[in-house]
Amino acid sequence: MVVHPRFSVVIPVRNRAEVVGRAVSDVLAQTLAAVEVVVVDAASNDDSVEAARSVADRRVRVLTGNAGLAESTDVAEARRVGIEAALGRWVSVLDPDDEVSPGWLARLGRI
């Protein structure tokens, strides 16, 4: 039986290795535990993928070119791919340099 998270947070990333790990960590620090993070690489040529994967947590999925993305994928396409791959009932999209407070998703869940 597959358990789906309540929220999926999609983070499309292109060449933002210096900030993407923090964005992933912010989402994982939510007071609402039923969350997944889907990081979608938009053809980065820096260490963005490695930075996202460095946050070791089973709730994080990193989609790259081997997930069917074209080498020329732009951020808009990466966002679309992430939304389609999301397993949660609700989906939110963050940029890799966004910061969110720990109660962010819990507040959205109450709405």
Side-chain angles (χ1 to χ4, degrees):
M1 178 175 153
V2 175
V3 177
H4 293 285
R6 185 167 180 194
F7 281 95
S8 295
V9 178
V10 175
I11 304 174
V13 62
R14 175 182 243 157
N15 299 330
R16 299 304 308 266
E18 71 281 2
V19 294
V20 69
R22 186 186 69 228
V24 172
S25 294
D26 276 0
V27 175
L28 296 176
Q30 294 298 300
T31 57
L32 181 71
V35 63
E36 76 166 338
V37 182
V38 181
V39 178
V40 185
D41 181 51
S44 295
N45 56 19
D46 69 354
D47 292 329
S48 293
V49 170
E50 291 79 10
R53 286 185 175 146
S54 72
V55 182
D57 192 293
R58 63 179 177 74
R59 297 173 292 170
V60 178
R61 290 189 291 144
V62 180
L63 305 180
T64 62
N66 61 7
L69 295 168
E71 294 237 355
S72 61
T73 298
D74 63 11
V75 173
E77 176 69 5
R79 186 176 292 117
R80 184 194 62 74
V81 167
I83 291 169
E84 287 181 0
L87 299 175
R89 179 172 180 202
W90 302 100
V91 179
S92 180
V93 178
L94 291 180
D95 289 329
D97 58 352
D98 287 344
E99 296 180 21
V100 293
S101 66
W104 167 64
L105 285 176
R107 285 191 305 278
L108 283 176
R110 286 191 299 269
I111 296 173

